[in-house]
Amino acid sequence: MTDYAVVNPATGETVASYDTATDEQIERAVASAASAAKVWGATAPADRAGVIRRIAELHRERKDELGAIIVREMGKPIAAAVGEVEFAADIIEYYADNIEVITADQPLQIVGEGSALVRRAPLGALLGIMPWNFPAYQVARFAAPNLAIGNTIILKHAPQCPESAAAIEAIYRDAGLPEGAYVNVYATNEQAATIIADPRVQGVSVTGSERAGAAVAEVAGRNLKKVALELGGSDPFIVLSTDDLDSVVQLAVDARLDNNGQSCNGAKRFVIVDELYEEFTSKFVASLAAVSAEDPTQEDTVLGPLSSLAAAERLQEQVDTAVAQGARVLTGGTREGAFFAPTVLADVTPEMDVYREELFGPAAVVYRVADEDAAVELANDTAFGLGSYVFTTDAEQAERVANRIEAGMVYVNIALADSPELPFGGVKRSGTSRELGLLAADEFVNKKLIRTA
């Protein structure tokens, strides 16, 4: 039986298939991770840091191999795929560099005699359920902070990323982790539920769709397990004023096409103040129309195929439905197989399905608004609350809008600025937790109070 396969979205070819784990293999994985937690959690932070730093080094040494795998699995252009692996290495190294900060005791000011502190202790074995859109980066931002704390990892990767899953597991093993400290499992959804329910597993983190997050959270809640959710987004890109419209347009294009348009925190709704709308939209549409979806193995490719034929068909259905309901296509709207042309929709109204949906691919919606208040109202009129982008020449306005936006992240006059030290996460239906930065190491940790007379 196999649900795990590498299907090259550029060609439709099934490159490799992997057998789904047996129940006996799942049991061995859980037992191994739980046993390793006792050893790894008791390892000195400085020694843990040495192993984690080696994991980062191996990512850099094997970046070309890992990048080529990513291209095969989900169609990311090769330059971006290698860049993803390099970013994953930076993230992992960040936690090695900051392990003393992450694990340091926190003294408390108390009323009365004696002393008190909070000590951060590991919880034990954790399950990570990872998505296909960033096969290396997503694993790094979950695994690295938790290994730094002293937890161990059971990793269920997306069924279309089994080759990345195996290659990443090899890196963690070759870096010198104790056996069982990082275990890859080709688990079914039913087996994942069994892992979550197992009393030896202390928590679960999932990055994926709302549907996946809700299903995992339900199982975790039923078993009283901590759950971290990183879900979808429909991030607004708000333009209120600028001294350099061309630069803003280029950032808008880059923010929409990044990862073939398949980033949960990608800019998807472009909210433009009235006096800039016509010029912005004209330039934005022209710039996107100049980009074509090409072979992802070529170094100069900007836009590759979507992750699968099914993903392209879903996006096509969304665009077609939008048009049938009255939206206007300014460019694109078509595909060849999994290759989707950059697309811009206009005249979208709240009555249309696309107004509420996340477009996971190189498709954007442009909106004209009268002023700051209208921009904020439209930006917040969504079930999502992951990231947001605000462009203005007025510093006071930037501060006001940043405060009013209902999102976990606000980027002012900048885009594509993710960095290992910056926390990542959202509110509303975009999730419940934070990854990256020091906050990531607070998700699965026992903040143990020690009060001494």
Side-chain angles (χ1 to χ4, degrees):
M1 174 184 178
T2 179
D3 292 316
Y4 286 78
V6 179
V7 180
N8 187 330
T11 65
E13 176 192 4
T14 299
V15 178
S17 298
Y18 293 71
D19 290 336
T20 301
T22 64
D23 290 343
E24 291 75 16
Q25 288 172 324
I26 296 295
E27 164 57 30
R28 286 198 298 271
V30 173
S32 179
S35 177
K38 300 174 183 177
V39 176
W40 184 244
T43 300
D47 294 333
R48 292 203 296 265
V51 177
I52 294 168
R53 186 166 285 106
R54 181 59 183 151
I55 294 169
E57 291 171 353
L58 287 175
H59 273 74
R60 294 190 179 106
E61 291 174 14
R62 302 178 188 179
K63 65 182 181 181
D64 292 334
E65 171 194 345
L66 290 171
I69 292 171
I70 290 170
V71 174
R72 287 195 293 274
E73 288 177 330
M74 52 78 64
K76 193 191 304 281
I78 183 62
V82 173
E84 177 190 333
V85 178
E86 292 173 331
F87 188 32
D90 293 343
I91 291 167
I92 296 163
E93 187 174 61
Y94 170 83
Y95 292 102
D97 290 344
N98 286 277
I99 202 165
E100 298 297 339
V101 176
I102 289 167
T103 59
D105 289 344
Q106 178 186 346
L108 301 176
Q109 295 290 332
I110 64 170
V111 176
E113 301 297 323
S115 63
L117 59 83
V118 172
R119 177 162 296 156
R120 285 168 166 75
L123 294 182
L126 306 173
L127 173 64
I129 301 174
M130 297 293 106
W132 49 261
N133 59 335
F134 288 95
Y137 157 76
Q138 298 281 9
V139 173
R141 71 181 197 177
F142 166 65
N146 284 299
L147 288 170
I149 283 291
N151 296 317
T152 57
I153 306 299
I154 304 166
L155 202 291
K156 178 194 181 307
H157 219 314
Q160 74 185 73
C161 297
E163 194 176 1
S164 283
I168 292 169
E169 182 186 39
I171 284 177
Y172 282 77
R173 180 181 62 246
D174 294 348
L177 279 175
E179 183 178 356
Y182 182 102
V183 185
N184 174 62
V185 291
Y186 296 129
T188 64
N189 291 340
E190 292 75 17
Q191 289 171 326
T194 299
I195 295 171
I196 296 168
D198 194 298
R200 294 168 292 182
V201 175
Q202 304 305 311
V204 56
S205 176
V206 59
T207 299
S209 66
E210 291 179 82
R211 182 174 58 83
V216 170
E218 181 180 358
V219 177
R222 194 161 58 242
N223 291 278
L224 300 180
K225 299 291 178 72
K226 172 68 186 289
V227 59
L229 302 175
E230 294 286 357
L231 308 177
S234 189
D235 292 7
F237 187 105
I238 302 169
V239 182
L240 299 172
S241 61
T242 178
D243 291 329
D244 187 353
L245 185 61
D246 287 344
S247 293
V248 173
V249 169
Q250 188 57 55
L251 283 173
V253 171
D254 294 343
R256 182 67 293 238
L257 297 185
D258 181 53
N259 202 37
N260 296 339
Q262 300 166 121
S263 297
C264 51
N265 65 323
K268 301 182 178 80
R269 297 179 296 138
F270 295 82
V271 182
I272 316 300
V273 73
D274 184 68
E275 57 264 31
L276 295 175
Y277 177 85
E278 293 294 346
E279 188 177 3
F280 174 91
T281 301
S282 175
K283 291 175 180 288
F284 184 54
V285 168
S287 295
L288 284 174
V291 178
S292 58
E294 303 286 353
D295 179 358
T297 65
Q298 299 303 305
E299 288 287 343
D300 59 351
T301 293
V302 172
L303 178 65
L306 295 193
S307 62
S308 66
L309 181 60
E313 290 171 343
R314 281 194 297 272
L315 183 60
Q316 185 73 67
E317 182 178 359
Q318 287 178 294
V319 171
D320 290 347
T321 299
V323 171
Q325 293 176 345
R328 186 161 49 97
V329 176
L330 302 184
T331 189
T334 60
R335 66 180 177 89
E336 293 185 14
F339 291 85
F340 210 102
T343 298
V344 180
L345 297 175
D347 300 339
V348 170
T349 65
E351 296 74 29
M352 300 178 188
D353 293 347
V354 73
Y355 185 86
R356 307 288 175 190
E357 295 173 335
E358 177 180 19
L359 294 174
F360 219 56
V365 181
V366 290
Y367 296 93
R368 183 198 298 260
V369 292
D371 53 23
E372 174 188 322
D373 288 341
V376 172
E377 182 179 1
L378 195 154
N380 289 339
D381 191 18
T382 174
F384 298 107
L386 188 54
S388 58
Y389 307 87
V390 179
F391 289 83
T392 176
T393 57
D394 183 336
E396 292 183 359
Q397 182 180 59
E399 183 75 9
R400 284 196 310 272
V401 173
N403 286 336
R404 296 172 66 192
I405 292 289
E406 297 169 356
M409 301 173 286
V410 182
Y411 289 89
V412 178
N413 294 329
I414 194 171
L416 300 177
D418 299 37
S419 191
E421 75 279 6
L422 301 179
F424 183 105
V427 295
K428 301 190 329 190
R429 296 187 70 84
S430 288
T432 61
S433 59
R434 292 297 180 271
E435 293 183 319
L436 299 179
L438 297 178
L439 295 182
D442 268 354
E443 290 293 337
F444 294 99
V445 61
N446 177 12
K447 302 178 185 73
K448 183 187 295 184
L449 169 67
I450 301 177
R451 172 72 164 91
T452 303

